[in-house]
Amino acid sequence: MVALAITVLAVAAAVALASNAVSRMAQARDRLTAMRIADDLYEDLYAGERPDGQQAGETGGRSWTYTSTSAGTDEVPSVARRLHIVVDRRFGPDLVVEAVVPPAPVTASLN
């Protein structure tokens, strides 16, 4: 009877450990996916491939928003841009990225 109880406890502990490992892997994958989306948005904004202002969308089933405003103030004018990027996460709080980037590059007209 004691051996059976020890075996049941060992199996239960192994199952709990495996469940915990799977949960942590799902959280890590979730965080990595959100970071990749935020990185893509950041790179596109840095390169001037996305419009400034406030935008929202969805990538791979994840909703995201970004706001691009001037980094300057009345006292200290600046042409730099302040970015606020938010990407939805399934496990845990949303991923938020704050950055200051240079002005969007001037793109050549096709005309």
Side-chain angles (χ1 to χ4, degrees), residues 39-50:
D39 181 56
D40 288 344
L41 291 168
Y42 173 85
E43 291 296 328
D44 289 350
L45 284 160
Y46 190 94
E49 296 174 5
R50 288 189 179 267

Side-chain angles (χ1 to χ4, degrees), residues 2-70:
V2 173
L4 181 63
I6 291 173
T7 303
V8 167
L9 286 175
V11 168
V15 168
L17 184 61
S19 173
N20 190 18
V22 169
S23 174
R24 287 188 183 268
M25 286 180 62
Q27 290 172 355
R29 187 173 300 147
D30 175 57
R31 186 172 47 251
L32 180 60
T33 300
M35 288 175 18
R36 284 184 181 157
I37 293 169
D39 181 56
D40 288 344
L41 291 168
Y42 173 85
E43 291 296 328
D44 289 350
L45 284 160
Y46 190 94
E49 296 174 5
R50 288 189 179 267
D52 285 336
Q54 188 170 6
Q55 302 290 325
E58 186 175 305
T59 302
R62 305 289 179 109
S63 62
W64 52 261
T65 60
Y66 72 78
T67 305
S68 172
T69 59
S70 172

Side-chain angles (χ1 to χ4, degrees), residues 68-86:
S68 172
T69 59
S70 172
T73 63
D74 290 339
E75 296 82 30
V76 184
S78 174
V79 293
R81 298 172 294 151
R82 183 176 311 280
L83 304 179
H84 179 81
I85 301 169
V86 179

